[in-house]
Amino acid sequence: MNKPFGPGEYGNLPGLIMGLQRAGKIYRVESIDKTKQTVVKPNKGKKITEEEFNDIGKKMRKLR
């Protein structure tokens, strides 16, 4: 089973967040140790725009 992982409040999104720019800060993956974790390409779901992604983030922050 794949577990969500990412920086800050984005760690609860499905999949692995490889890069993120928020409030003047840039978060990015610098290395991945393949011996500890396997990254699997999603085979379901839908692509969303950056605007839709931001709306989802806003809704998630309101739920906290």
Side-chain angles (χ1 to χ4, degrees):
M1 175 192 261
N2 295 330
K3 294 184 180 181
F5 187 81
E9 66 268 13
Y10 296 95
N12 291 325
L13 295 172
L16 171 63
I17 308 301
M18 301 293 288
L20 175 69
Q21 182 175 352
R22 294 296 289 172
K25 293 185 180 181
I26 298 174
Y27 303 89
R28 67 177 180 194
V29 172
E30 291 189 5
S31 68
I32 296 176
D33 184 346
K34 290 184 179 182
T35 62
K36 294 183 180 181
Q37 200 61 261
T38 301
V39 177
V40 179
K41 183 178 179 179
N43 59 6
K44 61 182 179 178
K46 69 172 193 167
K47 288 186 178 185
I48 61 172
T49 65
E50 184 175 353
E51 185 177 345
E52 290 171 315
F53 175 82
N54 291 335
D55 288 343
I56 292 168
K58 287 176 188 175
K59 289 176 185 174
M60 289 179 67
R61 285 189 291 280
K62 286 180 183 177
L63 295 175
R64 287 183 157 205

Coordinates of all heavy atoms in Angstrom, one line a residue:
M1 N 0.8 -1.2 0.0 CA 0.0 0.0 0.0 C 0.9 1.2 0.0 O 1.8 1.4 0.8 CB -0.9 0.0 1.2 CG -1.7 1.3 1.3 SD -2.5 1.4 2.9 CE -4.1 0.9 2.5
N2 N 0.6 2.2 -0.9 CA 1.3 3.4 -0.9 C 0.8 4.4 0.1 O -0.3 4.5 0.4 CB 1.2 4.1 -2.3 CG 1.8 3.2 -3.4 OD1 2.8 2.5 -3.2 ND2 1.2 3.3 -4.6
K3 N 1.8 5.1 0.7 CA 1.4 6.1 1.8 C 1.7 7.5 1.3 O 2.7 7.7 0.6 CB 2.2 5.8 3.0 CG 1.9 4.5 3.7 CD 2.6 4.3 5.0 CE 2.3 3.0 5.6 NZ 3.0 2.8 6.9
P4 N 0.8 8.4 1.6 CA 1.1 9.8 1.2 C 2.3 10.4 1.9 O 2.5 10.1 3.1 CB -0.2 10.6 1.5 CG -1.2 9.6 2.0 CD -0.4 8.3 2.2
F5 N 3.0 11.2 1.2 CA 4.2 11.9 1.9 C 4.5 13.2 1.2 O 4.5 13.2 0.0 CB 5.4 10.9 1.9 CG 6.5 11.5 2.7 CD1 6.5 11.3 4.1 CD2 7.6 12.2 2.1 CE1 7.6 11.8 4.8 CE2 8.6 12.7 2.8 CZ 8.6 12.5 4.2
G6 N 4.8 14.2 1.9 CA 5.1 15.5 1.3 C 5.4 16.5 2.4 O 5.2 16.3 3.6
P7 N 5.8 17.7 2.0 CA 6.1 18.8 3.0 C 4.9 19.4 3.6 O 3.9 19.6 2.9 CB 6.9 19.8 2.2 CG 6.5 19.6 0.8 CD 6.1 18.1 0.7
G8 N 5.0 19.8 4.9 CA 4.0 20.6 5.6 C 2.6 19.9 5.5 O 2.5 18.7 5.6
E9 N 1.6 20.7 5.3 CA 0.2 20.2 5.2 C -0.1 19.5 3.9 O -1.1 18.9 3.7 CB -0.8 21.4 5.4 CG -0.8 22.4 4.3 CD 0.1 23.6 4.5 OE1 1.0 23.5 5.4 OE2 0.0 24.5 3.7
Y10 N 0.9 19.4 3.0 CA 0.7 18.7 1.8 C 1.1 17.2 1.9 O 1.0 16.4 1.0 CB 1.5 19.3 0.7 CG 1.1 20.7 0.4 CD1 1.6 21.8 1.0 CD2 0.0 20.9 -0.4 CE1 1.2 23.1 0.8 CE2 -0.5 22.2 -0.6 CZ 0.1 23.3 0.0 OH -0.4 24.6 -0.2
G11 N 1.5 16.8 3.1 CA 1.8 15.4 3.3 C 0.6 14.5 3.3 O 0.7 13.3 3.3
N12 N -0.6 15.1 3.4 CA -1.8 14.2 3.4 C -2.4 14.0 2.0 O -3.5 13.4 1.9 CB -2.9 14.9 4.3 CG -2.4 14.8 5.8 OD1 -1.8 13.8 6.2 ND2 -2.7 15.8 6.5
L13 N -1.8 14.6 1.0 CA -2.3 14.4 -0.4 C -1.8 13.0 -0.9 O -0.8 12.4 -0.4 CB -1.7 15.4 -1.3 CG -2.1 16.9 -1.0 CD1 -1.3 17.8 -1.9 CD2 -3.6 17.0 -1.3
P14 N -2.6 12.4 -1.8 CA -2.2 11.0 -2.2 C -0.9 11.1 -3.1 O -0.7 12.0 -3.8 CB -3.4 10.6 -3.1 CG -4.1 11.9 -3.5 CD -3.8 12.9 -2.4
G15 N 0.0 10.2 -2.8 CA 1.2 10.1 -3.6 C 2.3 10.9 -2.9 O 2.3 11.3 -1.8
L16 N 3.4 11.0 -3.7 CA 4.6 11.7 -3.2 C 4.7 13.1 -3.8 O 4.7 13.2 -5.0 CB 5.9 10.9 -3.5 CG 7.2 11.5 -3.3 CD1 7.4 11.7 -1.8 CD2 8.3 10.6 -3.8
I17 N 4.9 14.1 -3.0 CA 5.1 15.5 -3.5 C 6.6 15.7 -3.7 O 7.3 15.7 -2.8 CB 4.5 16.5 -2.5 CG1 3.1 16.2 -2.1 CG2 4.7 17.9 -3.1 CD1 2.1 16.2 -3.2
M18 N 6.9 15.9 -5.0 CA 8.3 16.0 -5.4 C 8.9 17.4 -5.3 O 10.0 17.6 -5.1 CB 8.6 15.4 -6.8 CG 8.2 14.0 -7.0 SD 9.2 12.9 -6.0 CE 10.7 12.9 -7.0
G19 N 8.0 18.4 -5.4 CA 8.4 19.8 -5.3 C 7.2 20.7 -5.0 O 6.1 20.4 -5.4
L20 N 7.5 21.8 -4.3 CA 6.4 22.7 -3.9 C 7.0 24.0 -3.7 O 8.0 24.2 -3.1 CB 5.7 22.1 -2.7 CG 4.6 22.9 -2.0 CD1 3.4 23.0 -2.9 CD2 4.3 22.3 -0.7
Q21 N 6.3 25.1 -4.1 CA 6.7 26.4 -3.8 C 5.5 27.1 -3.2 O 4.4 27.2 -3.8 CB 7.1 27.2 -5.1 CG 7.5 28.6 -4.8 CD 8.0 29.3 -6.0 OE1 8.2 28.7 -7.1 NE2 8.2 30.6 -5.9
R22 N 5.7 27.6 -1.9 CA 4.6 28.2 -1.2 C 5.2 29.3 -0.3 O 6.2 29.1 0.4 CB 3.9 27.2 -0.2 CG 3.1 26.2 -0.9 CD 1.9 26.7 -1.7 NE 0.9 27.2 -0.8 CZ -0.2 27.8 -1.3 NH1 -0.3 28.0 -2.5 NH2 -1.1 28.2 -0.4
A23 N 4.5 30.5 -0.3 CA 4.9 31.6 0.6 C 6.4 31.9 0.5 O 7.1 32.1 1.5 CB 4.5 31.2 2.1
G24 N 6.9 31.9 -0.7 CA 8.3 32.3 -0.9 C 9.3 31.2 -0.6 O 10.5 31.4 -0.7
K25 N 8.9 30.0 -0.2 CA 9.8 28.9 0.2 C 9.6 27.8 -0.9 O 8.6 27.6 -1.4 CB 9.5 28.3 1.5 CG 9.8 29.3 2.7 CD 9.5 28.6 4.0 CE 9.8 29.6 5.1 NZ 9.7 29.0 6.4
I26 N 10.7 27.2 -1.2 CA 10.7 26.1 -2.2 C 11.1 24.8 -1.5 O 12.1 24.7 -0.8 CB 11.7 26.4 -3.3 CG1 11.3 27.6 -4.1 CG2 11.8 25.2 -4.3 CD1 12.3 28.1 -5.1
Y27 N 10.3 23.8 -1.6 CA 10.5 22.5 -1.1 C 10.8 21.6 -2.2 O 10.0 21.6 -3.2 CB 9.3 22.0 -0.3 CG 8.9 22.9 0.9 CD1 8.0 23.9 0.6 CD2 9.4 22.7 2.1 CE1 7.6 24.7 1.7 CE2 9.0 23.5 3.2 CZ 8.1 24.5 2.9 OH 7.7 25.3 4.0
R28 N 11.8 20.7 -2.2 CA 12.0 19.8 -3.3 C 12.8 18.6 -2.8 O 13.5 18.6 -1.8 CB 12.8 20.5 -4.4 CG 14.2 20.8 -4.0 CD 15.0 21.4 -5.1 NE 16.3 21.7 -4.5 CZ 17.2 22.4 -5.1 NH1 17.0 22.9 -6.3 NH2 18.4 22.6 -4.6
V29 N 12.6 17.5 -3.5 CA 13.3 16.3 -3.3 C 14.7 16.4 -3.7 O 14.9 16.8 -4.9 CB 12.6 15.1 -4.0 CG1 13.4 13.8 -3.8 CG2 11.2 14.9 -3.4
E30 N 15.7 16.1 -2.9 CA 17.0 16.2 -3.3 C 17.6 14.8 -3.6 O 18.5 14.6 -4.4 CB 17.9 16.9 -2.3 CG 17.6 18.3 -2.2 CD 18.5 19.1 -1.3 OE1 19.5 18.5 -0.8 OE2 18.3 20.3 -1.1
S31 N 17.1 13.8 -2.9 CA 17.5 12.4 -3.2 C 16.5 11.4 -2.7 O 15.7 11.7 -1.8 CB 18.9 12.1 -2.6 OG 18.7 12.1 -1.1
I32 N 16.5 10.2 -3.3 CA 15.6 9.2 -2.9 C 16.5 7.9 -2.7 O 17.2 7.5 -3.7 CB 14.5 8.9 -3.9 CG1 13.6 10.1 -4.0 CG2 13.7 7.7 -3.6 CD1 12.5 10.0 -5.1
D33 N 16.4 7.3 -1.6 CA 17.1 6.0 -1.3 C 16.2 4.9 -1.8 O 15.2 4.6 -1.0 CB 17.5 5.9 0.1 CG 18.3 4.7 0.4 OD1 18.4 3.8 -0.4 OD2 18.9 4.7 1.5
K34 N 16.4 4.3 -2.9 CA 15.5 3.3 -3.4 C 15.5 2.0 -2.6 O 14.6 1.2 -2.7 CB 15.9 3.0 -4.9 CG 15.5 4.1 -5.9 CD 15.9 3.6 -7.3 CE 15.5 4.7 -8.3 NZ 15.8 4.2 -9.6
T35 N 16.5 1.8 -1.8 CA 16.5 0.6 -1.0 C 15.5 0.7 0.2 O 15.1 -0.4 0.7 CB 17.9 0.4 -0.4 OG1 18.2 1.5 0.5 CG2 19.0 0.3 -1.4
K36 N 15.0 1.9 0.5 CA 14.1 2.0 1.6 C 12.6 2.2 1.1 O 11.7 1.9 1.8 CB 14.4 3.2 2.4 CG 15.7 3.1 3.1 CD 16.0 4.2 4.0 CE 17.4 4.1 4.7 NZ 17.6 5.2 5.6
Q37 N 12.4 2.6 -0.1 CA 11.0 2.9 -0.5 C 10.9 2.7 -2.0 O 11.8 3.0 -2.8 CB 10.7 4.4 -0.2 CG 9.3 4.8 -0.2 CD 8.5 4.0 0.9 OE1 7.8 3.1 0.5 NE2 8.5 4.4 2.1
T38 N 9.8 2.3 -2.5 CA 9.5 2.1 -3.9 C 8.4 3.1 -4.3 O 7.4 3.2 -3.6 CB 9.0 0.6 -4.2 OG1 9.9 -0.3 -3.7 CG2 8.7 0.4 -5.6
V39 N 8.7 3.8 -5.4 CA 7.7 4.8 -5.9 C 7.0 4.1 -7.0 O 7.6 3.7 -8.0 CB 8.4 6.1 -6.4 CG1 7.4 7.1 -7.0 CG2 9.2 6.7 -5.2
V40 N 5.6 4.1 -6.9 CA 4.8 3.5 -7.9 C 4.0 4.5 -8.6 O 3.3 5.3 -8.0 CB 3.9 2.4 -7.2 CG1 3.0 1.8 -8.3 CG2 4.7 1.4 -6.5
K41 N 4.0 4.5 -10.0 CA 3.2 5.5 -10.7 C 1.8 5.2 -10.5 O 1.3 4.0 -10.6 CB 3.6 5.3 -12.2 CG 2.9 6.3 -13.1 CD 3.3 6.2 -14.5 CE 2.6 7.2 -15.4 NZ 3.0 7.1 -16.8
P42 N 0.9 6.2 -10.3 CA -0.5 6.0 -10.1 C -1.1 5.4 -11.3 O -0.8 5.7 -12.4 CB -1.1 7.4 -9.8 CG 0.1 8.2 -9.5 CD 1.3 7.6 -10.1
N43 N -2.1 4.5 -11.1 CA -2.8 3.9 -12.3 C -4.3 4.3 -12.3 O -5.0 3.8 -13.1 CB -2.6 2.4 -12.3 CG -3.2 1.7 -11.1 OD1 -3.8 2.4 -10.2 ND2 -2.9 0.4 -10.9
K44 N -4.7 5.2 -11.3 CA -6.1 5.6 -11.3 C -6.1 7.1 -10.8 O -5.1 7.6 -10.4 CB -7.0 4.8 -10.5 CG -6.6 4.6 -9.0 CD -7.5 3.7 -8.3 CE -7.1 3.6 -6.8 NZ -7.9 2.8 -6.1
G45 N -7.2 7.7 -10.9 CA -7.3 9.1 -10.4 C -7.5 10.0 -11.7 O -7.7 9.5 -12.8
K46 N -7.4 11.3 -11.4 CA -7.5 12.2 -12.6 C -6.5 13.3 -12.4 O -6.1 13.7 -11.3 CB -8.9 12.8 -12.6 CG -9.3 13.8 -11.5 CD -10.6 14.4 -11.8 CE -10.8 15.6 -10.8 NZ -11.9 16.5 -11.2
K47 N -6.1 13.9 -13.6 CA -5.2 15.0 -13.5 C -6.0 16.3 -13.2 O -7.1 16.4 -13.6 CB -4.5 15.2 -14.9 CG -3.5 14.1 -15.3 CD -2.8 14.5 -16.6 CE -1.8 13.4 -16.9 NZ -1.0 13.8 -18.1
I48 N -5.3 17.1 -12.4 CA -6.0 18.4 -12.1 C -5.0 19.6 -12.4 O -3.8 19.4 -12.5 CB -6.4 18.4 -10.6 CG1 -5.1 18.3 -9.7 CG2 -7.4 17.4 -10.3 CD1 -5.4 18.5 -8.2
T49 N -5.6 20.7 -12.6 CA -4.8 21.9 -12.9 C -4.2 22.4 -11.6 O -4.6 22.0 -10.5 CB -5.7 23.0 -13.5 OG1 -6.7 23.4 -12.5 CG2 -6.4 22.6 -14.7
E50 N -3.3 23.4 -11.7 CA -2.7 24.0 -10.5 C -3.7 24.7 -9.7 O -3.7 24.7 -8.5 CB -1.6 24.9 -10.9 CG -0.8 25.5 -9.7 CD 0.4 26.4 -10.1 OE1 0.7 26.4 -11.3 OE2 0.9 27.0 -9.2
E51 N -4.7 25.4 -10.4 CA -5.7 26.1 -9.7 C -6.6 25.1 -8.9 O -6.9 25.4 -7.7 CB -6.6 26.8 -10.7 CG -7.7 27.7 -10.1 CD -8.5 28.5 -11.1 OE1 -8.1 28.6 -12.3 OE2 -9.6 29.0 -10.7
E52 N -6.9 24.0 -9.5 CA -7.7 23.0 -8.7 C -6.9 22.5 -7.5 O -7.5 22.3 -6.4 CB -8.1 21.8 -9.7 CG -9.1 22.2 -10.7 CD -9.3 21.1 -11.8 OE1 -8.3 20.5 -12.2 OE2 -10.4 20.8 -12.1
F53 N -5.6 22.2 -7.7 CA -4.8 21.8 -6.6 C -4.8 22.8 -5.5 O -4.9 22.4 -4.3 CB -3.3 21.6 -7.2 CG -2.3 21.2 -6.1 CD1 -2.2 19.9 -5.7 CD2 -1.5 22.2 -5.6 CE1 -1.3 19.6 -4.7 CE2 -0.6 21.9 -4.6 CZ -0.5 20.6 -4.2
N54 N -4.7 24.1 -5.8 CA -4.7 25.1 -4.8 C -6.0 25.2 -4.1 O -6.1 25.4 -2.9 CB -4.3 26.5 -5.4 CG -2.9 26.6 -5.9 OD1 -2.0 25.9 -5.3 ND2 -2.6 27.4 -6.9
D55 N -7.1 25.0 -4.8 CA -8.4 25.0 -4.2 C -8.6 23.8 -3.2 O -9.1 24.0 -2.1 CB -9.5 24.9 -5.2 CG -9.7 26.2 -6.0 OD1 -9.2 27.2 -5.6 OD2 -10.3 26.1 -7.1
I56 N -8.0 22.7 -3.5 CA -8.1 21.5 -2.6 C -7.3 21.9 -1.4 O -7.7 21.6 -0.3 CB -7.5 20.3 -3.3 CG1 -8.4 19.8 -4.5 CG2 -7.2 19.1 -2.3 CD1 -7.8 18.8 -5.4
G57 N -6.1 22.5 -1.5 CA -5.3 22.9 -0.4 C -6.0 23.8 0.5 O -6.0 23.7 1.8
K58 N -6.7 24.8 -0.1 CA -7.5 25.8 0.7 C -8.6 25.1 1.5 O -8.8 25.4 2.7 CB -8.1 26.8 -0.2 CG -7.1 27.8 -0.7 CD -7.8 28.8 -1.7 CE -6.8 29.6 -2.4 NZ -7.4 30.5 -3.4
K59 N -9.3 24.1 0.9 CA -10.3 23.4 1.6 C -9.7 22.6 2.7 O -10.3 22.5 3.8 CB -11.1 22.5 0.6 CG -11.9 23.3 -0.3 CD -12.6 22.4 -1.4 CE -13.4 23.2 -2.4 NZ -13.9 22.3 -3.5
M60 N -8.6 21.9 2.5 CA -8.0 21.1 3.5 C -7.6 22.0 4.8 O -7.7 21.6 5.9 CB -6.7 20.4 3.0 CG -7.1 19.3 2.0 SD -5.7 18.4 1.4 CE -5.1 17.6 2.8
R61 N -7.0 23.2 4.5 CA -6.6 24.1 5.6 C -7.8 24.5 6.4 O -7.7 24.7 7.6 CB -5.8 25.2 5.1 CG -4.4 24.9 4.6 CD -3.6 26.1 4.3 NE -4.0 26.8 3.1 CZ -3.7 26.4 1.9 NH1 -3.0 25.3 1.7 NH2 -4.1 27.1 0.9
K62 N -9.0 24.7 5.8 CA -10.2 25.1 6.5 C -10.7 24.0 7.4 O -11.3 24.2 8.4 CB -11.3 25.5 5.5 CG -11.1 26.8 4.8 CD -12.2 27.1 3.9 CE -11.9 28.4 3.1 NZ -13.0 28.7 2.1
L63 N -10.4 22.7 7.1 CA -10.9 21.6 7.9 C -10.0 21.4 9.1 O -10.4 20.7 10.0 CB -10.8 20.3 7.0 CG -11.8 20.3 5.8 CD1 -11.6 19.0 5.0 CD2 -13.2 20.3 6.3
R64 N -8.9 22.0 9.2 CA -8.0 21.8 10.3 C -8.4 22.5 11.5 O -9.0 23.5 11.7 CB -6.5 22.2 10.0 CG -5.9 21.2 9.1 CD -4.5 21.6 8.8 NE -3.8 20.3 8.4 CZ -2.6 20.1 8.5 NH1 -1.8 21.1 9.0 NH2 -2.0 19.0 8.2

